[in-house]
Amino acid sequence: MSENYTLESFTVEGSDGVKLRTRVFKPDAGTEADGKLGIVLVHPYSILGGCQGLLKGIASGLALNGYTAVTFDMRGVGKSTGRASLTGFSEVKDVVAVCNWLSNTFFLPRILLLGSSAGAPIAGSAVDQIEQVIGYVSIGYPFGMTASILFGRHHKAILQSPKPKLFIMGTQDGFTSVKQLRNKLNSAAGRVETHLIDGVGHFQMEGPGYDAEMVDLIIKFIASL
């Protein structure tokens, strides 16, 4: 618990019976910036140690700014049941389940979906499967050639989605070059924004030192929706 938000743990059951350990960062009563919008954050690649704890800094920062934010461990991570998949397609079901649960449980008709690293393609594949999602934020989407061996089949879903999109990336990202990012986004539908952080690498940007900047960028994006 903090002065300005509360943290609660829940277990959300997915469509295939997987049980997902979920945390809700909720602003204190009277401090909500938007009582009708929730933010769901999708963590980096499970198989390389990705877990919801990596997104605690951003989620708590969003709650301190008045937004209900949710993190969760995808299948096979932490106390969540099931088994992680190599390409992230089973995990898309987890994202859909948590978004629907958040919307129904906390009466939030609008959701912003955010994915970090490999969580970005997984979240991107879920965007148009969830009616309540009104926008999407990617932190370090792995568009590069090597990463595309695993996640390339996710690209089409987010690039063809008409929903507003923000892609945040460091210019020294080891998985995706600035050129690769721009080439991919040239074909994207709908409103697309990019924010490049000069001289910063993929894992560096995921670290706690950039949490406050991520929160600021997310809040500005929400204000534009």
Side-chain angles (χ1 to χ4, degrees):
M1 185 175 290
S2 163
E3 281 183 25
N4 300 104
Y5 73 90
T6 54
L7 177 59
E8 294 181 77
S9 293
F10 298 88
T11 299
V12 175
E13 186 164 342
S15 60
D16 55 359
V18 168
K19 292 180 172 59
L20 307 166
R21 189 68 167 172
T22 303
R23 293 179 188 143
V24 178
F25 298 73
K26 204 166 186 300
D28 287 347
T31 65
E32 294 98 336
D34 186 340
K36 295 184 178 180
L37 182 138
I39 303 165
V40 174
L41 297 87
V42 183
H43 67 69
Y45 199 30
S46 301
I47 289 169
L48 292 181
C51 64
Q52 65 177 323
L54 297 172
L55 296 171
K56 180 182 177 182
I58 297 175
S60 59
L62 291 167
L64 288 169
N65 280 275
Y67 293 95
T68 297
V70 173
T71 64
F72 67 100
D73 284 325
M74 289 187 276
R75 61 185 62 208
V77 175
K79 293 182 180 178
S80 293
T81 65
R83 181 180 293 180
S85 72
L86 200 60
T87 59
F89 276 97
S90 295
E91 284 79 355
V92 175
K93 297 175 192 171
D94 301 345
V95 178
V96 172
V98 171
C99 286
N100 287 333
W101 171 84
L102 175 67
S103 182
N104 294 331
T105 305
F106 291 90
F107 308 105
L108 296 168
R110 301 190 302 147
I111 289 173
L112 178 77
L113 191 49
L114 177 148
S116 175
S117 189
I122 292 167
S125 281
V127 163
D128 285 343
Q129 295 185 35
I130 307 158
E131 185 181 349
Q132 298 93 331
V133 169
I134 60 161
Y136 165 87
V137 176
S138 154
I139 299 174
Y141 196 117
F143 273 127
M145 292 298 292
T146 304
S148 292
I149 295 168
L150 290 173
F151 306 114
R153 288 190 297 135
H154 289 281
H155 297 177
K156 185 177 177 182
I158 192 58
L159 294 175
Q160 291 189 346
S161 173
K163 296 179 181 180
K165 299 172 275 291
L166 168 63
F167 290 83
I168 305 167
M169 195 182 84
T171 59
Q172 299 300 313
D173 191 297
F175 293 101
T176 308
S177 68
V178 173
K179 183 178 179 182
Q180 285 169 327
L181 176 72
R182 287 178 172 152
N183 285 344
K184 279 288 184 182
L185 299 185
N186 277 341
S187 64
R191 179 181 139 206
V192 184
E193 295 181 27
T194 58
H195 184 91
L196 298 174
I197 301 177
D198 193 43
V200 177
H202 185 90
F203 296 107
Q204 185 183 359
M205 192 175 69
E206 287 179 10
Y210 286 88
D211 286 348
E213 187 168 354
M214 296 302 115
V215 169
D216 287 343
L217 290 168
I218 294 160
I219 290 171
K220 286 174 185 172
F221 184 63
I222 291 170
S224 74
L225 296 175

